[in-house]
Amino acid sequence: MSATVSDLLKEKKGAYSAAELAALAARFRVEMFDVLHERQTGHWGGASSAAEIVTALYFSRLKIDPSQPKWEGRDRFVLSKGHASVNLYTVLARRGFFAPAVLPSFRTLGSILQGHPSMKLVPGVDFSTGALGHGLSVACGMALSAALSGAGFRTYVLTGEGCLDEGSTWEAMLFAAKYRPKGLVFLVDYNKVQLDGRSEDILPLEPLADKFTAFGWHLAPRAYDGHCTADILRSFAWLDGDDVWPKAVIYDTVKGKGVDFMEGKNAWHGAAIDDGSYAKGRPQLLKDAEAKEAAL
Ligand SMILES: Cc1ncc(C[n+]2csc(CCOP(=O)(O)OP(=O)(O)O)c2C)c(N)n1
């Protein structure tokens, strides 16, 4: 009998394959969509664009122990685009940091799962985020502390273009180029659409790759496909290459990935998912999840 996503979550031994990661991410997308519809709040567009990246990090990359969320030696992850919290919460819950039964309380009064992630409330959240542009500065401090203390963990930060439109990010880029903290990894979920329009209309970032290298960063040799888990694993293999820091990877992604009429539309950045759109969109996500599960 082929494996199912629940088998994978229960008793997986050894490394996850690209196909397994793809099946997990597709299933998490359905869960995210359900929670956002049920709660009538939250951010679908950027949560969906990061689904494979965050799944691959937590299931295949980060050195973590869900039973000890504060373990000093753990790798750190900072979701600088904190509005995509439903993605992080779903992955943390399914990775064992807290019970998945908590997910439906998303954004309700008193829940640990507020609109933007709180390190004080949610097991597994390494830093509270939400105001765009803070994540890289925080990650620089974490990575520097790992080097100074000898703890040796890696620090990963994920941003969208909104954080790259903030001056504080570029100041942190300069800082990182000066101190070169070992183990600092900057990941960009490059879906090219923000809250109120296309990134190139709001504040052009291109040529983005050239900017990273001009700022003294070691950028991956190409942009990777942020929805192809095999490609994401290739980007992780690149991270394990030369011992030169800081490193950055740009992932090409699609905002609202998985629901055709929501893809690439800034209108679905943070709009509540109405009943009609839910009824049209959910079967698409489910079909994808079932196909990926059947392929295991
Ligand atoms: C400093 C700051 N300004 C504005 C906002 C409101 N805001 C939340 S998300 C967003 C757009 C972010 O675009 P992007 O980073 O591309 O998000 P993604 O598509 O990856 O979700 C804005 C302007 C904010 N959270 N923080």
Side-chain angles (χ1 to χ4, degrees):
M1 202 183 81
S2 61
T4 63
V5 163
S6 36
D7 294 337
L8 290 178
L9 292 170
K10 254 189 271 151
E11 51 183 70
K12 171 71 184 161
K13 299 212 169 51
Y16 285 82
S17 67
E20 289 169 338
L21 293 170
L24 290 175
R27 184 58 67 177
F28 298 159
R29 235 189 221 105
V30 179
E31 281 199 285
M32 287 163 16
F33 204 67
D34 287 349
V35 167
L36 295 179
H37 168 252
E38 179 62 29
R39 300 292 331 126
Q40 284 296 294
T41 181
H43 295 78
W44 166 249
S48 183
S49 70
E52 281 82 8
I53 301 168
V54 177
T55 300
L57 280 170
Y58 275 90
F59 283 82
S60 179
R61 186 68 193 172
L62 299 180
K63 195 174 56 172
I64 43 175
D65 177 356
S67 70
Q68 300 179 71
K70 297 277 182 206
W71 169 45
E72 267 306 309
R74 73 192 185 282
D75 286 343
R76 306 302 199 265
F77 175 66
V78 179
L79 179 70
S80 194
K81 39 174 280 179
H83 56 277
S85 57
V86 73
N87 177 24
L88 181 62
Y89 295 156
T90 304
V91 170
L92 286 175
R94 291 297 171 192
R95 187 67 177 80
F97 281 91
F98 57 89
V102 179
L103 289 172
S105 72
F106 177 65
R107 271 193 159 183
T108 53
L109 204 59
S111 170
I112 61 168
L113 307 181
Q114 289 304 302
H116 295 81
S118 166
M119 63 194 284
K120 295 191 176 164
L121 298 176
V122 190
V125 170
D126 288 321
F127 201 78
S128 306
T129 49
L132 300 170
H134 290 180
L136 184 62
S137 307
V138 169
C140 281
M142 289 172 167
L144 213 53
S145 85
L148 291 174
S149 68
F153 56 79
R154 283 195 181 177
T155 305
Y156 298 80
V157 57
L158 180 69
T159 78
E161 299 94 79
C163 290
L164 286 164
D165 283 354
E166 298 288 345
S168 52
T169 298
W170 297 94
E171 184 180 349
M173 296 270 273
L174 291 170
F175 177 91
K178 174 173 178 184
Y179 292 101
R180 306 209 161 278
K182 201 175 161 75
L184 177 62
V185 179
F186 188 163
L187 309 173
V188 181
D189 172 4
Y190 197 22
N191 65 33
K192 303 163 198 76
V193 179
Q194 299 189 32
L195 182 160
D196 47 3
R198 294 185 330 130
S199 303
E200 279 311 284
D201 295 330
I202 292 168
L203 198 53
L205 287 166
E206 289 295 335
L208 183 57
D210 292 351
K211 290 188 173 74
F212 271 93
T213 44
F215 271 69
W217 281 62
H218 299 277
L219 178 70
R222 65 178 174 87
Y224 292 84
D225 180 343
H227 298 305
C228 171
T229 46
D231 218 28
I232 295 171
L233 292 181
R234 278 180 216 114
S235 73
F236 291 170
W238 175 79
L239 288 173
D240 288 335
D242 297 342
D243 192 20
V244 289
W245 304 95
K247 290 187 179 182
V249 181
I250 298 174
Y251 295 99
D252 280 323
T253 56
V254 175
K255 191 149 179 154
K257 174 76 177 171
V259 176
D260 57 7
F261 60 91
M262 294 180 168
E263 289 187 355
K265 302 263 175 23
N266 67 282
W268 289 106
H269 169 83
I273 301 170
D274 59 278
D275 292 346
S277 302
Y278 179 71
K280 268 200 291 178
R282 193 179 192 275
Q284 297 182 23
L285 297 173
L286 193 60
K287 190 172 164 202
D288 183 51
E290 286 173 352
K292 289 191 169 129
E293 198 160 339
L296 292 177

